[in-house]
């Protein structure tokens, strides 16, 4: 049995105290009482993965760094200077305060800790067949890979083949080592683990294409994560290959004109995703922190709003029309207004990846067919107009604009794109903050280190090995 003082000291120094509560249920020692907790039977390991936190992560802090968002100067002037969302939106280099908790970082690592428990300890389960063990371990590896892919994308620099082996990102935790506090692993090391975990899952003969339920993904989910990973690395032929493998099996679209069952394409809760035809890997999120500080939801930037033409049902369903800026719609909960986000990996995203990679390879007809299939399901039939392009570069531009529309406010996708597109296209995109009079308050480019989310002072204090300066 691992000792309380060793295990919890390690977790404390790596992640901060806030992680311990979420992990303690599945560790050997109860941190409050010191009593033993048995995680020896197969059903116990199943319970570890039957955790809604595996589907729920709030990416608001990542959205605040992008060119998708606008906040009125009046609102900014009336928000406390120590509000992390405000400081991130203003593109401040150090936007965390001494007492801030980064729920995205700690939440994803809590999920990784639970996945690690299954991967490392399930082989010792006393009442499971080898097939049962292999299946649950494969599922845990899909989850772990996805969480690490998100973490390295937000908290590390974009993947650059020439510097990935030396660029430092985040801790790489595959097990609990009581003898040392982890330093940051390289970007390359994180991507290697993601690839290895996903390929292990894909090659497992215990998984079906579709997962058994929303919390237990199958091979299609694994391939979708691998496709996203190769896209972030700039390995476009491989990204296209795995996107097409997914689409060969699952390619049904949800027609927003007919989507009353799903609130016109916007599932409210996790269970609403169960019968959604486009969902490959189910993810949702809720946020009240922003609404608790600001009197309304965040606004779409003029640039993002300009990409949505009239009668686009995505704009109608997800945004509230305004005079100058549209607003991200609030939803209702038992306690009042809430922000809900659709963070799933979908058929549409796989089509966008295949289309982008095809355009980068010089294709035009196939990428246009893919994005136009998406658009056919996002407009009323009488309002739909096909996108066109005569050169691969024109088509690539059309694909990237469609990607921005389809994935607006989905799992921090825009921040990941801003970072990776600088490496892929060798040109920067400007992220600008204007005041209400149109005066530029601050402007950075997409190769700025400000787009890499910093670790909080609390985490750095707990583990000095994570400091980079």
């Amino acid at each position: 049995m691992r000792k309380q003082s060793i295990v919890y000291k390690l977790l404390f120094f790596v992640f901060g105290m806030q992680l311990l509560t979420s992990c303690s249920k599945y560790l050997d020692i109860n941190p409050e009482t010191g009593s033993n907790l048995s995680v020896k039977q197969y059903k116990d390991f199943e319970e570890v993965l039957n955790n809604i936190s595996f589907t729920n992560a709030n990416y608001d802090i990542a959205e605040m760094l992008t060119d998708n968002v606008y906040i009125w100067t009046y609102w900014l002037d009336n928000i406390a200077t120590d509000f992390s969302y405000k400081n991130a939106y203003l593109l401040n280099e150090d936007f965390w305060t001494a007492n801030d908790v980064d729920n995205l970082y700690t939440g994803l690592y809590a999920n990784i800790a639970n996945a690690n428990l299954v991967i490392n300890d399930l082989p010792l389960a006393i009442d499971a067949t080898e097939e049962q063990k292999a299946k649950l371990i494969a599922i845990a590896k899909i989850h772990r890979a996805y969480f690490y892919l998100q973490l390295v994308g937000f908290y590390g620099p974009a993947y650059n083949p020439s510097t990935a082996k030396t660029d430092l990102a985040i801790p790489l935790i595959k097990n609990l080592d009581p003898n040392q506090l982890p330093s940051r692993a390289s970007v390359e090391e994180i991507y290697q683990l993601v690839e290895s975990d996903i390929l292990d899952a894909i090659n497992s003969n215990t998984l079906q294409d579709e997962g058994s339920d929303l919390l237990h993904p199958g091979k299609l989910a694994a391939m979708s994560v691998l496709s996203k990973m190769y896209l972030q690395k700039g390995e476009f032929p491989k990204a296209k290959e795995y996107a097409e493998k997914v689409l060969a099996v699952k390619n049904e679209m949800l027609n927003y004109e007919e989507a009353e069952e799903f609130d016109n394409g916007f599932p409210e809760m996790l269970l609403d995703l169960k019968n959604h035809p486009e969902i490959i890997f189910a993810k949702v999120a809720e946020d009240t922190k922003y609404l608790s500080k600001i009197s309304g939801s965040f606004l779409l930037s003029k640039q993002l709003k300009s990409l949505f033409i009239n009668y686009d049902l995505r704009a109608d369903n997800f945004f509230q029309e305004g005079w100058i800026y549209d607003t991200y719609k609030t939803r209702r909960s038992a306690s009042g207004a809430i922000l809900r986000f659709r963070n799933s990996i979908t058929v549409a995203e796989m089509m966008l990846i295949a289309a982008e990679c095809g355009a980068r390879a010089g294709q035009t007809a196939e990428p246009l067919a893919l994005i136009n299939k998406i658009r056919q399901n996002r407009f009323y039939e009488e309002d739909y107009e096909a996108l066109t392009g005569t050169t691969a570069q024109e088509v690539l531009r059309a694909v990237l604009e469609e990607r921005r529309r389809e994935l607006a406010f989905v799992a921090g996708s825009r921040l990941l794109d801003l970072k990776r597109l600088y490496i892929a296209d060798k040109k920067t995109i400007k992220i600008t903050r204007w005041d209400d009079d149109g005066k530029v308050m601050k402007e950075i480019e997409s190769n700025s280190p400000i787009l890499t989310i910093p670790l909080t002072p609390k985490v750095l204090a707990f583990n000095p090995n994570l400091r980079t300066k």
Side-chain angles (χ1 to χ4, degrees):
M1 301 292 285
R2 287 167 287 194
K3 299 299 183 182
Q4 175 184 358
S5 59
I6 295 175
V7 173
Y8 284 92
K9 179 181 178 182
L10 177 62
L11 288 174
F12 183 90
F13 274 92
V14 176
F15 309 116
M17 197 66 195
Q18 57 271 21
L19 177 58
L20 302 190
T21 301
S22 61
C23 297
S24 62
K25 179 177 180 181
Y26 305 117
L27 295 174
D28 295 325
I29 303 295
N30 186 310
E32 300 296 332
T33 67
S35 62
N36 289 344
L37 291 174
S38 175
V39 186
K40 296 180 179 179
Q41 296 182 330
Y42 181 74
K43 64 180 179 63
D44 298 321
F45 290 99
E46 281 190 309
E47 185 181 356
V48 173
L49 295 185
N50 288 336
N51 191 332
I52 198 170
S53 68
F54 277 74
T55 69
N56 193 342
N58 183 344
Y59 297 100
D60 276 9
I61 197 68
E63 300 291 357
M64 291 298 112
L65 293 169
T66 73
D67 53 358
N68 278 351
V69 178
Y70 181 82
I71 301 178
W72 294 111
T73 308
Y74 172 80
W75 287 351
L76 291 172
D77 291 342
N78 287 277
I79 304 172
T81 57
D82 62 353
F83 185 44
S84 57
Y85 284 24
K86 170 183 177 177
N87 291 321
Y89 171 78
L90 292 174
L91 305 175
N92 294 334
E93 185 172 354
D94 296 313
F95 54 75
W96 300 116
T97 63
N99 295 317
D100 274 333
V101 174
D102 182 354
N103 291 320
L104 176 59
Y105 178 86
T106 56
L108 294 181
Y109 267 114
N111 291 335
I112 287 171
N114 286 332
N116 283 341
L117 180 63
V118 173
I119 294 166
N120 295 326
D121 292 356
L122 178 55
L124 304 177
I126 58 179
D127 64 339
T129 66
E130 292 305 310
E131 182 177 349
Q132 286 177 313
K133 294 177 184 180
K135 181 176 182 178
L136 213 59
I137 288 172
I139 291 170
K141 286 188 173 183
I142 296 172
H143 285 302
R144 183 170 72 174
Y146 174 80
F147 298 134
Y148 267 124
L149 183 62
Q150 294 295 88
L151 282 164
V152 72
F154 297 129
Y155 297 91
Y159 188 93
N160 185 332
S162 63
T163 60
K165 291 183 179 180
T166 55
D167 286 337
L168 297 180
I170 52 174
L172 178 57
I173 312 296
K174 294 192 289 185
N175 49 55
L176 294 175
D177 184 349
N179 298 315
Q180 65 178 21
L181 299 176
S183 301
R184 295 177 188 249
S186 71
V187 170
E188 182 67 40
E189 289 172 316
I190 302 296
Y191 276 92
Q192 285 177 352
L193 177 71
V194 172
E195 184 176 40
S196 174
D197 274 358
I198 291 296
L199 289 176
D200 284 350
I202 291 173
N203 293 327
S204 172
N205 58 14
T206 63
L207 287 186
Q208 302 298 315
D209 285 340
E210 298 272 9
S212 57
D213 56 48
L214 295 174
L215 296 175
H216 296 80
K219 288 189 178 183
L220 293 180
M223 288 189 285
S224 72
V225 174
L226 193 59
S227 179
K228 286 169 64 72
M229 186 210 75
Y230 285 131
L231 184 75
Q232 286 184 207
K233 288 185 71 177
E235 296 185 17
F236 300 116
K238 288 184 178 180
K240 186 173 186 287
E241 174 189 351
Y242 280 96
E244 289 176 339
K245 285 183 176 181
V246 174
L247 294 171
V249 178
K250 189 176 181 70
N251 52 47
E252 184 180 353
M253 297 290 293
L254 179 68
N255 189 317
Y256 280 17
E257 182 178 0
E258 304 168 356
E260 293 182 3
E261 179 185 355
F262 302 100
D263 191 20
N264 294 323
F266 197 115
E268 284 286 315
M269 304 292 286
L270 179 64
L271 288 178
D272 296 332
L273 301 177
K274 183 177 180 180
N275 298 315
H276 194 301
E278 291 188 26
I279 302 301
I280 298 168
F281 200 6
K283 305 288 178 182
V284 295
E286 294 183 350
D287 179 76
T288 57
K289 185 177 179 181
Y290 184 92
L291 293 176
S292 71
K293 297 287 186 179
I294 298 179
S295 58
S297 179
F298 52 82
L299 309 176
L300 277 66
S301 67
K302 290 181 180 179
Q303 184 187 44
L304 178 59
K305 180 179 177 179
S306 70
L307 294 177
F308 288 96
I309 64 172
N310 290 337
Y311 310 115
D312 189 321
L313 294 176
R314 290 168 293 196
D316 291 346
N317 295 340
F318 306 148
F319 314 127
Q320 184 69 43
E321 187 174 3
W323 175 48
I324 299 177
Y325 298 96
D326 285 358
T327 304
Y328 189 87
K329 281 186 178 179
T330 57
R331 307 280 162 167
R332 303 302 299 176
S333 70
S335 58
I338 195 169
L339 295 175
R340 285 202 172 105
F341 299 92
R342 51 201 174 91
N343 290 334
S344 301
I345 303 177
T346 64
V347 168
E349 184 173 359
M350 292 298 102
M351 289 179 172
L352 288 164
I353 291 176
E356 177 181 340
C357 297
R360 291 186 181 278
Q363 299 172 354
T364 56
E366 181 181 338
L368 284 172
L370 286 166
I371 61 172
N372 281 325
K373 183 175 180 180
I374 295 172
R375 293 174 62 81
Q376 285 174 328
N377 289 279
R378 302 302 188 248
F379 289 83
Y380 289 115
E381 184 177 357
E382 60 269 24
D383 297 324
Y384 165 73
E385 293 183 6
L387 296 179
T388 61
T390 57
T391 68
Q393 193 60 39
E394 289 175 350
V395 172
L396 177 60
R397 183 166 56 252
V399 171
L400 292 177
E401 288 182 353
E402 192 63 29
R403 178 180 175 87
R404 194 169 174 191
R405 284 185 284 265
E406 180 69 23
L407 300 184
F409 308 110
V410 174
S413 296
R414 182 56 180 169
L415 180 57
L416 299 177
D417 282 351
L418 285 169
K419 295 167 72 171
R420 75 173 178 88
L421 290 174
Y422 167 69
I423 303 297
D425 299 330
K426 303 297 187 295
K427 61 181 181 182
T428 59
I429 300 169
K430 294 186 184 298
I431 300 97
T432 307
R433 299 296 182 242
W434 289 277
D435 65 17
D436 295 345
D437 296 322
K439 181 180 178 182
V440 173
M441 296 188 294
K442 187 165 186 177
E443 187 171 77
I444 64 172
E445 296 187 325
S446 53
N447 62 341
S448 170
I450 290 175
L451 297 187
T452 297
I453 300 177
L455 303 187
T456 64
K458 272 189 175 181
V459 169
L460 296 175
F462 291 141
N463 183 2
N465 289 345
L466 297 177
R467 297 182 182 276
T468 57
K469 56 182 178 181

